[in-house]
């Protein structure tokens, strides 16, 4: 039996069951890895029909699994994309070679010279560089907001952007990494509507949902146009591949897929297979990582050598951020930061003493990772900007994994003795 109608099931069920029919592969319960760069045409007429369907979006083969060449599409990509769309509650999805390939593709597909873009800060370093450096070389202006829960702050950034050119994109990453600053998705959609009334063109609202993932935060349900996920992180969840996904309206996704044929940055067959396999257990892994994270965050909050913990689960009642959290998030995630008293020498001693938590960038894997933000992920950010953004010299980012929480707490406790 295959699950045919996504509307009948919850995201956790769709992650296990949707997008693959065993009848398509000799009854195999699991999809095969389709390692083929090219696909046979059963007849010359079929060859013509399949090209007509692909390039003109008409003809008899639209919507069926008819392939030409793996860069245009392949069976593993079909399974991954239909599953991702179903999980996100979107009309369609497109998968890319990495999260940054997905971000770059949105920029190249929807921003033109003379346009402007608004995004929040802090934002993933690669996205900051994409809009601040790369797209500005193509003549696109950028403006930023620093409080994505404050209508006046976001409106001011949108007005400043419109003064420079037609606003094409409103980009939000929420929660931000590593400060856990939240962006109000309903506010982003409302401001896109306001901008549409002013400039006659509605900007697309793009949300990077990597940090909480598709089960704990559901951007499409808030009316955003495109939901982007670095599948490298929680969705794949084992720190062993790179991939990115974008879910959204069919017309937008169709444009991204068509252009991907030219850019050649699709998700390859083996990676697509690995991601589909990993999505099956993603909700369970994320739940466990989140419950571990709460235990570790509580331990750190109460530790005398810790100056503070930036963890969504500790947002105070009555604050705008807490109101957004309650409306928008189903969990506090498992990536957060804590701030230590002390200088580089003590901090490095503590890091070098860890036996279980591994010293590495990235997040969302089965293993717990830790890094000192100032000297790794934010190395290239000038110190005053970094500190203004909430990342002190003592900030450590933790991505909590699936180990037993008592072992994680014991490891951190023994290492903190070095501070
Ligand atoms: C890692 C990450 C990306 C980039 O994803 P890659 O798969 O590494 O290219 C984008 N946004 C966020 C929030 C990330 O954590």
């Amino acid at each position: 039996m295959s699950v045919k109608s996504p509307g009948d099931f919850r995201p956790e069920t769709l992650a296990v069951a949707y997008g693959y029919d065993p009848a398509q592969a000799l009854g195999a319960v699991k999809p095969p890895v389709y390692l083929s760069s090219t696909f046979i045409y059963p007849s010359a007429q079929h060859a013509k029909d399949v090209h007509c369907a692909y390039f003109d979006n008409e003809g008899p083969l639209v919507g069926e699994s008819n392939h030409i060449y793996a860069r245009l599409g392949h069976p593993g990509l079909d399974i991954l994309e239909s599953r991702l769309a179903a999980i996100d509650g979107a009309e369609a999805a497109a998968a890319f070679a990495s999260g940054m390939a997905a971000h770059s593709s949105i920029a190249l597909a929807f921003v033109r010279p003379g346009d402007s873009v608004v995004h929040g800060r802090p934002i993933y370093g690669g996205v900051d560089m994409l809009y601040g450096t790369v797209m500005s070389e193509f003549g696109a202006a950028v403006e930023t907001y620093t409080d994505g829960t404050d209508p006046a702050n976001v409106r001011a950034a949108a007005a400043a952007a419109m003064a420079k050119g037609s606003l094409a994109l409103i980009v939000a990453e929420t929660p931000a990494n590593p400060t856990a600053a939240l962006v109000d998705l309903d506010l982003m959609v409302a401001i896109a509507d306001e901008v549409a009334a002013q400039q006659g063109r509605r900007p697309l609202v793009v949300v990077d949902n990597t940090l909480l993932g598709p089960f704990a935060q559901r951007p499409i349900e808030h009316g955003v146009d495109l939901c982007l996920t670095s599948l490298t992180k929680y969705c794949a969840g084992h720190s062993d591949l790179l991939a990115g996904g974008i879910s959204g309206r069919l017309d937008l996704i169709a444009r991204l897929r068509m252009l991907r044929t030219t850019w050649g940055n699709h998700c390859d067959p083996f990676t697509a297979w690995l991601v589909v396999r990993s999505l099956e257990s993603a909700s369970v892994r994320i739940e466990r990582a989140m419950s571990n994270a709460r235990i570790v965050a509580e331990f750190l909050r109460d530790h005398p050598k810790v100056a503070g913990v930036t963890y969504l689960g500790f947002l105070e009642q009555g604050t705008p951020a807490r109101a957004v959290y309650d409306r928008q998030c189903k969990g506090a995630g498992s990536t957060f930061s804590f701030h230590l008293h002390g200088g580089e020498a003590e901090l490095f001693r503590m890091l070098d003493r860890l036996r279980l938590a591994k010293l590495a960038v990235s997040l969302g894997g089965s293993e717990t990772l830790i890094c000192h933000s100032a000297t790794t992920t934010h190395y290239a950010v000038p110190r005053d900007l970094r500190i203004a953004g909430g990342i002190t010299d003592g900030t450590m980012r933790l991505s909590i994994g699936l180990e037993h929480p008592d072992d994680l707490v014991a490891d951190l406790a023994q290492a903190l003795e070095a501070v």
Side-chain angles (χ1 to χ4, degrees):
M1 188 205 84
S2 66
V3 170
K4 294 245 164 63
S5 171
D8 296 344
F9 298 95
R10 290 166 184 79
E12 293 79 1
T13 306
L14 296 166
V16 175
Y18 193 70
Y20 170 66
D21 183 352
Q24 107 194 37
L26 307 173
V29 166
K30 289 295 158 189
V33 199
Y34 292 92
L35 292 175
S36 189
S37 61
T38 192
F39 297 86
I40 286 174
Y41 309 124
S43 67
Q45 184 60 44
H46 182 100
K48 181 179 177 186
D49 290 346
V50 85
H51 280 78
C52 169
Y54 189 84
F55 289 100
D56 296 335
N57 209 23
E58 56 190 38
L61 300 171
V62 170
E64 288 173 32
S65 184
N66 284 278
H67 296 290
I68 297 171
Y69 185 70
R71 176 158 43 72
L72 283 59
H74 55 77
L77 202 58
D78 294 348
I79 298 168
L80 172 56
E81 291 178 342
S82 55
R83 188 166 294 188
L84 201 57
I87 294 170
D88 278 338
E91 279 177 14
F96 293 83
S98 70
M100 279 315 301
H103 270 294
S104 305
S105 297
I106 289 174
L108 290 174
F110 299 113
V111 182
R112 288 293 166 268
D115 283 351
S116 64
V117 172
V118 161
H119 70 71
R121 268 222 180 94
I123 199 159
Y124 188 73
V127 178
D128 209 328
M129 182 171 270
L130 171 65
Y131 289 109
T133 308
V134 180
M135 292 308 288
S136 74
E137 289 175 2
F138 288 90
V142 63
E143 286 290 333
T144 59
Y145 57 88
T146 49
D147 184 349
T149 66
D150 175 11
N153 187 237
V154 183
R155 230 172 245 135
M162 278 191 284
K164 291 178 171 174
S166 173
L167 181 54
L169 300 180
I170 298 177
V171 181
E173 176 186 323
T174 186
N177 166 19
T179 60
L182 289 174
V183 175
D184 182 344
L185 299 183
D186 298 331
L187 175 63
M188 297 298 127
V189 172
I191 287 185
D193 293 338
E194 290 174 21
V195 168
Q198 289 168 47
Q199 67 174 22
R201 167 196 185 187
R202 193 176 183 284
L204 298 177
V205 178
V206 178
V207 174
D208 186 330
N209 197 36
T210 301
L211 266 282
L212 288 184
F215 306 99
Q217 182 170 259
R218 307 198 43 77
I220 296 290
E221 290 172 8
H222 291 267
V224 316
D225 299 289
L226 294 170
C227 170
L228 184 150
T229 311
S230 169
L231 302 171
T232 308
K233 312 295 169 54
Y234 288 97
C235 289
H238 294 75
S239 305
D240 55 7
L241 63 83
L242 277 90
I246 305 171
S247 301
R249 281 209 323 267
L250 180 59
D251 60 324
L252 303 175
I253 297 297
R255 176 168 170 76
L256 286 164
R257 282 192 192 136
M258 183 59 77
L259 289 166
R260 183 181 60 189
T261 296
T262 305
W263 298 326
N265 59 359
H266 64 287
C267 184
D268 71 84
F270 185 57
T271 304
W273 182 87
L274 277 173
V275 176
V276 166
R277 178 190 209 274
S278 300
L279 279 170
E280 297 194 9
S281 57
S283 71
V284 176
R285 284 186 280 103
I286 292 167
E287 257 171 48
R288 172 65 181 269
M290 290 202 296
S291 80
N292 282 355
R294 172 165 285 280
I295 294 166
V296 174
E298 283 170 357
F299 160 76
L300 289 169
R301 180 182 59 184
D302 300 336
H303 197 285
K305 288 176 181 163
V306 175
V309 179
T310 312
Y311 171 65
L312 282 182
F314 298 158
L315 287 174
E316 276 173 43
Q317 290 286 356
T319 58
R322 178 59 191 255
V324 171
Y325 177 79
D326 288 340
R327 229 179 22 247
Q328 192 169 296
C329 310
K330 294 199 174 84
S334 74
T335 297
F336 63 93
S337 53
F338 64 102
H339 316 283
L340 283 174
H341 299 296
E344 210 171 271
E346 291 112 302
L347 302 185
F348 283 13
R349 256 204 322 275
M350 176 261 179
L351 287 171
D352 290 337
R353 222 163 126 157
L354 288 163
R355 290 181 304 161
L356 184 56
K358 293 183 171 62
L359 193 50
V361 299
S362 198
L363 53 99
S366 50
E367 70 293 320
T368 293
L369 299 179
I370 188 167
C371 64
H372 177 233
S373 302
T375 53
T376 60
T377 53
H378 291 69
Y379 183 84
V381 182
R383 186 167 185 271
D384 50 334
L385 268 186
R386 168 166 62 70
I387 289 176
I391 298 155
T392 71
D393 293 339
T395 296
M396 303 275 184
R397 185 181 73 189
L398 264 175
S399 165
I400 298 295
L402 308 180
E403 302 90 344
H404 195 289
D406 295 351
D407 290 337
L408 290 171
V409 165
D411 190 36
L412 285 163
Q414 64 83 24
L416 280 166
E417 284 168 24
V419 177

